[in-house]
Amino acid sequence: MSDLEQQDLKNKKVIVRVDLNVPLDDDDNVTDTTRIVACKETVDLILEKGGICILISHLGRPKGKENKFSLKKIIDTVSSVLGRKVFFYEDCIGQGAQEAISKLDKGSIILLENLRFYEEETSGDRVFAKNLSKLGDIYVNDAFGSCHREHASTFVIAEYFENKKFPGMLLKKELDAINQIANYGKKPVLAILGGAKVSSKLGILYNLIKNVDKIIIGGGMAYTFIKAKRGKIGNSLLENELITNAQEILSLAQALDKKIILPIDTIASKDYDNNDQILTFNSKEIEDGWIGLDIGKKSIEMFNQEILSSNTIFWNGPMGVYEKDLFSEGTRSICNSLREAKEKGANVIVGGGDSIAALKKLGKEDWVGYISTGGGALLESLEGKILPGVKALMK
Ligand code: AMP
């Protein structure tokens, strides 16, 4: 892929597909600006090089032109985060949009209306994509979180920009982080996977086991693996139909001389909601009627040692039901160990909605080496797939 930083952008109209799908409260205030902040580097680069920045994005899942999902609502926040005036136009294609753009001087930014006001966006319609392409001279994709979709603005549009299409700075950082985990990160490379379900992370496990040196499996998903090793897991979360897969992954790890590290002790309760009684069990000997809801002290210590002896670490998914204080200690400890590892020079990459939410809830996020903005896009990349939006930039 060619490099946007090497391009002459002076007076060039640069279409930038960004992901401004930000959360709004009932009064239309933006409650988290992460995605706006994430596109600033690309915008700054284009403007410094004397280009005109045409931002296109989706917001929510509108059915046709629904005012509720207008990007106009976020224009002030976008301006304030980018630290510059941002113009707005009420459509994302057509003569009106083209005229609004043609009036802009170099160094200007314009945000166009929600792409998903046209169902042709999500259906990947070629005519719509071609109309979008008429807005500018150069196409930049900086919407990593949407790159797994074959939509008009993330995929089809690229074919109209032969030799004039580039990944944005955010997309480059995301791809580099994925490569650090799955390809060329400094060894030992450790992946820590947690959360509720094995099913959502099966593809990642099969792919990462080939590339990383060790995988810690915590959270609810650990119990299917413990069961696969003939452990007694009481009433803990179990995906029975995946026991065979779990066994296969464990055998694969053994054959490849990779380590899979499971919790050795478990904090359990008799009920998800009523937590009057809490006991610690050996993770392989949980009594019937008890549900494992967090990792115990011995596991924390063991995971801590694995983290501190790794140079590249990827974390996705909590170690327990971290939303409840009673079961948040495992996840909190992982955060602390990761921070210590980072201070000692390890590259720490965090991705996936719940790990970021956990980091924020536990008040520790500013130190992380890289926090991915992608949900599905990150998971699919870690499964070893080249995302459509990325492939389209390569052709
Ligand atoms: P995921 O979306 O798969 O990353 O899962 C995140 C969810 O997993 C969080 O809501 C946690 O409460 C939940 N979780 C983590 N550990 C457990 C556990 N031992 N039992 C049940 N749910 C868990």
Side-chain angles (χ1 to χ4, degrees), residues 2 9 60 225 308 336 385:
S2 318
L9 301 179
F225 283 84
L308 294 181
N336 289 338
K385 296 179 190 157

Side-chain angles (χ1 to χ4, degrees), residues 194-198 200-201 218-223 236-237 266-267 272 291-295 316-324 327 331 352-355:
K197 289 190 173 169
V198 182
S200 59
K201 296 187 183 145
M221 63 186 280
Y223 299 104
S236 307
L237 213 57
T266 286
I267 313 270
Y272 278 100
I291 310 166
L293 295 172
D294 197 8
I295 56 173
N316 174 299
M319 294 292 103
V321 181
Y322 74 99
E323 296 93 335
K324 291 190 166 197
F327 309 112
T331 306
D354 254 83
S355 338

